[in-house]
Amino acid sequence: MEKHLSELNKDQIEAVKYNSGPSIIIAGPGSGKTRVLTNKLAYLIDSGVNPFNILALTFTNKSAKEMKNRVKDMLQSSISYNTWMGTFHSVFYKILRIECERINYEANFTIYDSNDSKNIIKRIIKELGLNKDFYKPNFVSYKISSLKNNLITWQKYNANPELKLEDESAGRHNFIEIYKRYQKKCFQNQAMDFDDLLLNTYILLKDFPEILFKYQNKFKHILVDEYQDTNYAQYKIINKLAEIHENICVVGDDSQSIYSFRGANIHNILNFKKDYPNHKMFKLEQNYRSTKKILNTANTLIENNKNKIEKKIWTNNKEGEDITINQSESDFEEGYFVAKRIKQLNCNLNEYAILYRMHHQSRSIEESLRRENIPYRIYGGISFYERKEIKDVLAYFKLTINNHDEESLFRIINFPSRLIGKTTIQKIAIKAEEKNLTIWELLKDISSNKKIELNLNSQKQSSLIKFYEMINFFNIQSKNKSAIEVANYIIEHSGLLKEYKKDITPEGKIRLKNIEELINGIKEMSSISNEVFYLSDFISEISLMTNQDSDDYEEKVTLMTIHASKGLEFKNIFVVGLEEGLLPADKSQNNTDIEEERRLFYVAITRAIENLTLSYARFRNKWGERTNSEPSRFVYEINQNKNNANIIDEKYKKYKKIDALKTQPKGEKISRFKSTIETIKNYKSGDLVKHNKFGIGKILEKNDEKCIVDFKNFGKKTLLLRFAKLKLLK
């Protein structure tokens, strides 16, 4: 064992050897966290601790398996396999299997996945006679999951007026009945969903002291990986199990806490010192991954966060290349710049990763890579034109251009729902075959009042006629109007836009953003065309592009969201879309949100080994309309230290229309904002102002840094004067 410890640095060894009470290991990016955790587990076993008395919790099965195998190699024994090690859900499932009779479940209870849960919710909504468009199953499922992860049963929810107020205000008075019936249905079926595995484990430990005591004495040592990602339920269960022995060691990095949308609570790691006053803290600050300049940039950025554990990552690695900051005229040019920069760096394509805040941003990057014949993969997702909502829209476009495209017709004839079910579709397909007609020709005959025996009721026949007339009208429009006009018209009048707007879950919002980005792509292609750009031209363009896709390449550039990149590293990292509204995201209205967005950018920066390229655009399209973009405040923050970033080299300027962001001395304002700030400083409470996004509003409060404006359509917003760009209305 000592041989393995010799491979660790001083801070790592201290963290491994301390096992006499609560401890927290703050592991910066690239600091060898997995190595420390593995060595700690091996050291415990080698020191005589029974593996049966060790609980090790991870967030992925892959991590648990990797740790077990590493410990096995270190100890030259499979004894580590006796450790209770796995994900939170797998370990708690094991406990519930043993103890579930106490909560009236059978040991062979079923686990429902998300599809099972949604199907039950759909049936309940139907049973209650509720509008499924108002009570979207995705939203209801998301809401129930969130409540459970905060240990709120339907009984607790029902007894708390404040919790019910949000749903009642939104007109969802029946949510409580759905939640109640859902839980009862699960119990009747002797089934638990994934969130129940946490909730029921907590109930078991809370309501049955003897069971709690049993596992408190069993787990004399508890190790928790990625502690910054734990939610409230996980936090409470861990604390209960550690109450007696307090031999708990949590590992994580508060600066990499980026999953609040999944319920992760950064205060779990920040408040560890309060939960365990006698704790010992170890900081792993030496980075083995990145260059000095990359780490200096990361440190300069994260210093702006107030809620954090103080640390400063450092390295013995080389100084490295300057950080490149690129300003493009548009997202189209940004994609072009990235593609050309990849070719210029001339590395193995597997050594590149392009990171973005939101899924829809991949579109312009994908198209640029395709144009330059650079193969790529979407990590943890699918290519833009393969996403369901995009294929739905494209099916409408394709059927509009080619009325005989039956693949497209079958996809959209009942989406959004027109009450044209599978039976009806089957009937018209058979009838078309009988009459030697295409389905479109048959629909034309039906709409022309020709005698077609389909044995359909008047409502279904009417729906078919309306569908035919709608597509036919789209077709007429497509021959006379531009692609962007027709595309917008189709998306609105087909019902697609309304359908996707109904889904207010995070997934639903992503789908809507993707559709918006498709429109932006059409606008982009239109702008570079020398002739009138029709919808048929757009379909041809993307058909040719996507037809070039191939998996024959061993080397590929990786595209992914920043969230998906956590835990990974690449020689060359591109972070694109560094603009207000993207990073930080539009939703970031308060300091807590901004700090998480800053941590997200910190994660992106620290994925880079040698080269880091940051990029933003002056203009982006939103629903096909060109809008101004402001560079992210984070770009200015990393430039607080003038040694961190450089102006784009002359050799890149040919890919851009304007100069890159100039480096500013620390403490100096960016010049382009000076006049704006000085002007706004003269505004006063009561003044009417106009904002390019929120419209007209009245200033309620103002100081030298920010103001609170009550906007007519968006309510109260707190705006930083540095970025507000308000226009005074006389």
Side-chain angles (χ1 to χ4, degrees):
M1 190 63 212
E2 291 299 324
K3 171 182 164 244
H4 295 286
L5 291 181
S6 67
E7 299 170 359
L8 306 180
N9 65 39
K10 179 174 170 291
D11 294 330
Q12 291 173 331
I13 291 171
E14 287 180 3
V16 167
K17 284 189 169 183
Y18 184 81
N19 293 300
S20 305
S23 63
I24 179 170
I25 302 172
I26 303 299
S31 63
K33 178 199 70 165
T34 304
R35 181 189 295 181
V36 169
L37 205 52
T38 305
N39 273 273
K40 192 173 186 71
L41 186 56
Y43 189 82
L44 276 171
I45 297 170
D46 202 47
S47 301
V49 176
N50 191 328
F52 285 103
N53 295 135
I54 301 173
L55 171 63
L57 295 167
T58 66
F59 272 85
T60 66
N61 288 312
K62 183 182 174 184
S63 298
K65 186 178 179 181
E66 186 182 343
M67 280 179 63
K68 278 189 178 181
N69 289 334
R70 285 195 188 184
V71 173
K72 177 188 174 184
D73 293 340
M74 291 169 72
L75 298 176
Q76 298 292 299
S77 167
S78 60
I79 191 172
S80 63
Y81 284 17
N82 295 328
T83 300
W84 276 49
M85 182 186 297
T87 64
F88 287 87
H89 289 95
S90 67
V91 169
F92 297 161
Y93 169 71
K94 191 174 177 180
I95 291 174
L96 285 167
R97 281 285 196 206
I98 299 168
E99 312 292 350
C100 63
E101 288 184 5
R102 297 295 189 102
I103 54 174
N104 298 315
Y105 270 87
E106 296 173 2
N108 62 345
F109 65 85
T110 301
I111 297 178
Y112 280 161
D113 61 22
S114 58
N115 286 329
D116 296 327
S117 297
K118 285 175 188 175
N119 287 335
I120 293 173
I121 288 168
K122 286 177 185 175
R123 287 199 293 273
I124 292 170
I125 291 168
K126 190 174 181 179
E127 287 168 9
L128 293 171
L130 302 174
N131 187 334
K132 67 177 181 181
D133 291 332
F134 192 64
Y135 289 90
K136 298 283 286 186
N138 280 350
F139 171 76
V140 173
S141 177
Y142 176 78
K143 177 90 176 184
I144 290 174
S145 176
S146 179
L147 289 168
K148 287 183 182 181
N149 283 323
N150 283 285
L151 303 177
I152 300 169
T153 61
W154 73 263
Q155 294 93 336
K156 277 190 178 180
Y157 175 87
N158 196 38
N160 192 321
E162 291 182 8
L163 288 174
K164 292 164 65 177
L165 184 61
E166 182 184 349
D167 286 307
E168 289 175 352
S169 301
R172 288 188 287 268
H173 299 81
N174 290 291
F175 171 78
I176 177 59
E177 186 61 27
I178 299 172
Y179 188 9
K180 178 182 175 181
R181 290 197 183 196
Y182 173 74
Q183 286 303 102
K184 288 191 172 181
K185 183 67 70 175
C186 285
F187 180 73
Q188 287 170 1
N189 296 349
Q190 286 292 288
M192 298 186 198
D193 61 28
F194 283 104
D195 302 308
D196 284 327
L197 298 179
L198 302 182
L199 176 61
N200 286 334
T201 298
Y202 176 77
I203 291 171
L204 195 67
L205 299 179
K206 177 177 70 71
D207 292 350
F208 300 93
E210 67 279 14
I211 292 177
L212 173 62
F213 186 74
K214 171 183 172 181
Y215 288 97
Q216 285 175 333
N217 279 285
K218 175 175 177 55
F219 303 132
K220 292 181 171 63
H221 290 268
I222 299 174
L223 305 178
V224 186
D225 192 17
E226 304 287 8
Y227 193 62
Q228 78 280 347
D229 294 334
T230 53
N231 62 29
Y232 183 68
Q234 291 161 337
Y235 163 80
K236 292 294 288 184
I237 294 169
I238 293 165
N239 280 1
K240 277 191 172 295
L241 292 172
E243 272 177 358
I244 293 180
H245 299 286
E246 290 199 343
N247 285 325
I248 178 173
C249 174
V250 302
V251 185
D253 183 7
D254 56 295
S255 295
Q256 297 187 72
S257 178
I258 59 174
Y259 294 118
S260 65
F261 67 96
R262 293 182 189 168
N265 190 341
I266 191 175
H267 295 289
N268 294 349
I269 193 167
L270 293 178
N271 292 336
F272 187 86
K273 59 184 179 183
K274 293 179 182 177
D275 294 332
Y276 301 95
N278 299 321
H279 77 287
K280 193 166 177 63
M281 180 179 289
F282 302 91
K283 295 180 183 179
L284 308 183
E285 296 171 297
Q286 183 175 358
N287 176 285
Y288 295 92
R289 175 186 298 155
S290 308
T291 65
K292 286 184 173 69
K293 287 192 176 181
I294 290 170
L295 296 185
N296 287 340
T297 302
N299 284 326
T300 303
L301 173 77
I302 209 65
E303 280 172 8
N304 292 278
N305 271 8
K306 301 289 186 281
N307 293 306
K308 65 179 185 295
I309 296 168
E310 291 296 334
K311 62 184 167 300
K312 194 160 187 171
I313 52 175
W314 60 275
T315 187
N316 282 326
N317 294 342
K318 63 185 180 183
E319 193 73 19
E321 300 292 325
D322 286 333
I323 311 305
T324 297
I325 299 179
N326 172 63
Q327 179 181 257
S328 297
E329 186 75 2
S330 66
D331 48 351
F332 173 80
E333 290 194 15
E334 181 180 56
Y336 185 62
F337 164 79
V338 170
K340 291 296 184 182
R341 177 87 163 126
I342 287 171
K343 286 191 169 181
Q344 189 270 328
L345 288 172
N346 196 29
C347 295
N348 183 303
L349 294 182
N350 293 329
E351 295 179 323
Y352 296 95
I354 304 168
L355 311 183
Y356 36 79
R357 174 67 175 83
M358 300 175 188
H359 288 281
H360 72 271
Q361 292 172 255
S362 77
R363 195 268 314 163
S364 58
I365 303 296
E366 286 186 62
E367 290 180 4
S368 294
L369 295 176
R370 284 192 178 108
R371 288 190 186 99
E372 296 299 320
N373 294 313
I374 300 173
Y376 66 89
R377 67 173 64 85
I378 305 286
Y379 183 90
I382 54 177
S383 179
F384 183 83
Y385 289 106
E386 291 299 312
R387 294 167 192 169
K388 179 196 177 296
E389 59 277 9
I390 299 302
K391 293 184 84 168
D392 289 339
V393 177
L394 291 179
Y396 271 97
F397 292 176
K398 288 175 180 179
L399 187 62
T400 295
I401 303 302
N402 175 12
N403 298 150
H404 300 292
D405 181 354
E406 291 189 354
E407 287 301 310
S408 295
L409 186 147
F410 287 139
R411 184 179 184 95
I412 62 168
I413 192 168
N414 197 42
F415 186 78
S417 176
R418 300 181 178 90
L419 303 176
I420 303 172
K422 289 180 181 178
T423 305
T424 302
I425 294 170
Q426 192 176 18
K427 283 181 180 180
I428 61 175
I430 292 170
K431 184 60 67 175
E433 186 76 23
E434 286 176 5
K435 291 184 170 292
N436 198 27
L437 299 171
T438 66
I439 290 177
W440 181 257
E441 289 169 338
L442 184 73
L443 292 177
K444 183 180 180 180
D445 286 351
I446 294 171
S447 68
S448 303
N449 293 317
K450 289 188 178 180
K451 299 269 184 193
I452 307 288
E453 294 296 327
L454 286 171
N455 296 318
L456 299 176
N457 61 42
S458 58
Q459 185 185 24
K460 292 188 188 301
Q461 189 136 330
S462 175
S463 292
L464 288 172
I465 293 170
K466 284 179 181 177
F467 176 75
Y468 169 82
E469 290 174 345
M470 178 182 70
I471 300 298
N472 194 49
F473 186 74
F474 292 165
N475 178 261
I476 295 167
Q477 296 282 303
S478 72
K479 294 173 181 175
N480 303 308
K481 294 185 177 181
S482 69
I484 190 70
E485 290 177 286
V486 179
N488 274 314
Y489 189 89
I490 291 174
I491 288 170
E492 184 176 352
H493 289 84
S494 64
L496 280 175
L497 190 61
K498 184 180 178 182
E499 180 71 18
Y500 281 113
K501 277 184 174 179
K502 288 175 190 171
D503 189 351
I504 59 175
T505 63
E507 293 81 5
K509 292 175 181 177
I510 288 171
R511 291 189 186 103
L512 195 60
K513 272 290 183 184
N514 284 336
I515 293 174
E516 179 188 344
E517 190 57 30
L518 181 67
I519 293 294
N520 296 338
I522 298 172
K523 181 72 174 181
E524 190 177 277
M525 290 184 189
S526 302
S527 66
I528 59 177
S529 175
N530 295 323
E531 303 174 349
V532 179
F533 191 76
Y534 292 107
L535 191 63
S536 56
D537 298 320
F538 172 70
I539 293 297
S540 298
E541 283 279 341
I542 63 164
S543 296
L544 289 170
M545 274 196 306
T546 54
N547 192 50
Q548 294 170 6
D549 291 350
S550 172
D551 290 323
D552 297 337
Y553 303 98
E554 290 185 8
E555 294 182 27
K556 292 184 180 182
V557 174
T558 299
L559 277 66
M560 68 179 88
T561 63
I562 302 174
H563 282 100
S565 75
K566 188 170 173 288
L568 304 176
E569 61 182 40
F570 294 86
K571 184 178 179 179
N572 308 291
I573 287 285
F574 293 81
V575 187
V576 298
L578 281 170
E579 299 143 38
E580 292 290 308
L582 287 177
L583 188 65
D586 264 335
K587 65 178 180 61
S588 309
Q589 298 296 330
N590 55 53
N591 190 57
T592 301
D593 292 337
I594 292 296
E595 290 207 349
E596 176 151 345
E597 293 291 299
R598 189 176 285 113
R599 292 194 297 269
L600 190 60
F601 187 30
Y602 176 86
V603 167
I605 291 170
T606 54
R607 300 311 94 196
I609 298 172
E610 290 187 11
N611 292 296
L612 176 63
T613 302
L614 310 176
S615 179
Y616 64 93
R618 291 183 68 222
F619 302 96
R620 282 189 190 268
N621 285 316
K622 291 187 177 180
W623 291 107
E625 296 295 322
R626 181 166 165 152
T627 58
N628 291 329
S629 294
E630 293 291 352
S632 170
R633 69 195 73 187
F634 304 149
V635 175
Y636 299 117
E637 288 174 2
I638 64 173
N639 272 275
Q640 290 170 358
N641 182 342
K642 64 181 180 180
N643 295 317
N644 285 343
N646 71 319
I647 302 170
I648 296 290
D649 294 338
E650 289 295 327
K651 60 189 172 187
Y652 301 132
K653 288 194 175 180
K654 62 184 177 183
Y655 305 133
K656 323 185 302 74
K657 290 183 180 177
I658 59 177
D659 289 340
L661 174 74
K662 302 253 187 320
T663 302
Q664 302 291 318
K666 189 170 183 177
E668 187 176 320
K669 303 278 191 202
I670 302 296
S671 60
R672 67 187 288 193
F673 288 103
K674 279 185 175 179
S675 60
T676 304
I677 294 169
E678 292 303 319
T679 302
I680 296 176
K681 279 183 178 179
N682 297 323
Y683 296 177
K684 60 186 185 296
S685 296
D687 282 347
L688 282 179
V689 292
K690 187 176 181 180
H691 188 273
N692 61 2
K693 176 181 177 181
F694 301 126
I696 296 172
K698 181 187 286 186
I699 297 177
L700 302 180
E701 296 178 32
K702 188 183 77 67
N703 57 34
D704 288 341
E705 293 184 356
K706 61 186 180 182
C707 62
I708 299 173
V709 184
D710 187 9
F711 292 101
K712 185 177 178 181
N713 297 321
F714 291 88
K716 294 178 185 177
K717 302 287 181 184
T718 300
L719 305 175
L720 294 171
L721 298 188
R722 188 174 181 180
F723 304 101
K725 296 191 77 174
L726 295 172
K727 182 181 179 182
L728 183 65
L729 298 178
K730 303 293 185 185

